[in-house]
Amino acid sequence: MTSSQFTYNDVVRVAPWARAEARPGARAWIVGVFAPPRVGDFFARFPDGVVYSIEFEDGNSLEVHETDLQFEN
């Protein structure tokens, strides 16, 4: 089992290199953690590893790979 770098309610910042739809530089909260083995076709679009559901300050949310997140300073 792969351990996750972040957990529920962690405050994170989307990394500057993340895709534009992920809002690089935005502040968000972890609201879901999907560690391997991930089930479902949806997760096939992500590289191996942990995928997170994040929620932005405006209430919108999306899924991002762990490599696209950083701890909030």
Side-chain angles (χ1 to χ4, degrees), residues 16-58:
W17 53 82
R19 68 188 192 280
E21 300 81 32
R23 303 184 191 183
R27 186 176 188 216
W29 285 259
I30 302 294
V31 296
V33 180
F34 305 94
R38 303 177 315 218
V39 179
D41 294 336
F42 173 79
F43 293 108
R45 71 184 80 192
F46 297 99
D48 289 340
V50 182
V51 173
Y52 298 89
S53 290
I54 60 172
E55 184 174 324
F56 298 101
E57 293 177 296
D58 65 5

